[in-house]
Amino acid sequence: MVQMAASLELNFTSEIYKDAYSRIDAIVIEGEQEAHENYITLSGLLPDFQDDLVKLSKMELRHKKGFEACARNLAVTPDLGFAKEFFAQLHENFQVAAAAGNIVTCLLIQSLIIECFAIAAYNIYIPVADDFAKKITEAVVKDEYMHLNFGEVWLHDNFEASKAELQTANRQNLPLVWKMLNNVAKDAKVLGMEKDALVEDFMIAYGEALSNIGFNTGEIMRMSAYGLMG
Ligand code: Y39
Ligand code: FE
Ligand code: FE
Ligand code: FE
């Protein structure tokens, strides 16, 4: 209800909307590009799943093109410098883990954390998006559930061997997500997206993923709140 009321006041052609969109859409474009690269990296680390992971990497590139079209449709120039900065720490952590061959950490960062972030953001965006972006985002979010599922299934099948590394990687990376969310909360609000709703949707998706992988309720509570209070 709150979101519907907000959507009535959105003016997709106003300078204030376009200014916020130049950063939020850039984050999404950069995120899709980095997701593309991360799945290529993962395809090298998991040769048994190379075909699957190359497919996921190609989907991410299509997503990127879709969100570039959304910017053009609103006559917005994405602020890609801002977006690179936004992802810098998470990007760095993925690179370090990949170089060390820490597959579990790479999967936690890309297939759990980033995919759940995308799922939360896209689900909250769809009801307040312009008609063009809405159609694109609806198609994209379906793919993101597949990407999350890849990580869930692999980590479930390798749970005992992965558990300790997952908990360490969660502790190192989840606080970054809350920082990132704080950095875009103001712009997201201009687009009709509330921070509380984003946090809630992320928590639901991430908690469900941890449960599917094999963590118990107490572990999920401790893991998913890590860093939330600053
Ligand atoms: O797997 C993917 O496709 C993920 C890269 C995309 C993540 C996009 C990040 C969305 C955050 C937007 C924040 C809006 C408030
Ligand atoms: Fe994507
Ligand atoms: Fe994805
Ligand atoms: Fe799931």
Side-chain angles (χ1 to χ4, degrees):
M1 288 305 274
V2 172
Q3 288 234 331
M4 282 184 64
S7 72
L8 295 175
E9 297 154 25
L10 294 175
N11 178 356
F12 304 121
T13 63
S14 70
E15 283 311 312
I16 180 159
Y17 188 93
K18 288 169 66 174
D19 178 59
Y21 205 83
S22 73
R23 286 179 293 278
I24 299 283
D25 194 48
I27 286 167
V28 172
I29 291 166
E30 173 66 19
E32 296 293 354
Q33 173 64 35
E34 293 192 18
H36 165 71
E37 293 164 16
N38 290 348
Y39 281 115
I40 291 176
T41 301
L42 277 162
S43 78
L45 293 170
L46 289 167
D48 289 355
F49 298 90
Q50 185 162 16
D51 292 353
D52 290 331
L53 288 161
V54 167
K55 267 183 207 140
L56 301 195
S57 82
K58 286 181 178 158
M59 293 163 91
E60 303 296 19
L61 217 49
R62 279 201 296 278
H63 298 171
K64 180 190 177 191
K65 295 205 169 85
F67 291 116
E68 286 172 337
C70 292
R72 279 197 301 274
N73 180 55
L74 295 180
V76 165
T77 305
D79 186 345
L80 294 171
F82 175 86
K84 264 207 170 9
E85 190 62 36
F86 178 83
F87 277 107
Q89 281 184 283
L90 211 49
H91 181 76
E92 164 81 9
N93 287 359
F94 184 95
Q95 300 308 313
V96 168
N102 294 335
I103 294 167
V104 170
T105 300
C106 289
L107 283 173
L108 176 116
I109 292 173
Q110 176 57 48
S111 297
L112 301 187
I113 288 185
I114 297 180
E115 299 295 352
C116 286
F117 196 20
I119 285 167
Y122 297 161
N123 279 330
I124 298 298
Y125 176 54
I126 286 167
V128 295
D130 65 81
D131 287 341
F132 182 87
K134 188 181 304 224
K135 285 197 193 73
I136 286 176
T137 311
E138 280 168 347
V140 168
V141 77
K142 290 190 188 121
D143 289 348
E144 307 302 3
Y145 283 105
M146 280 181 53
H147 302 174
L148 172 59
N149 187 257
F150 177 89
E152 286 175 344
V153 169
W154 194 92
L155 291 165
H156 174 267
D157 292 345
N158 297 273
F159 183 58
E160 284 311 321
S162 305
K163 195 173 176 185
E165 187 178 333
L166 278 172
Q167 284 169 322
T168 302
N170 177 79
R171 196 162 61 237
Q172 286 168 344
N173 290 285
L174 197 60
L176 297 178
V177 172
W178 307 128
K179 267 207 260 175
M180 291 160 79
L181 212 49
N182 282 331
N183 286 344
V184 286
K186 198 162 158 262
D187 287 327
K189 172 121 178 129
V190 173
L191 271 47
M193 304 160 76
E194 296 288 340
K195 184 188 160 188
D196 287 355
L198 291 163
V199 170
E200 187 182 315
D201 267 40
F202 177 87
M203 289 286 236
I204 291 168
Y206 194 61
E208 206 178 275
L210 294 177
S211 168
N212 291 340
I213 288 164
F215 287 103
N216 67 40
T217 306
E219 290 166 334
I220 294 167
M221 300 276 227
R222 278 190 296 279
M223 286 175 77
S224 57
Y226 220 101
L228 181 57
M229 306 305 169

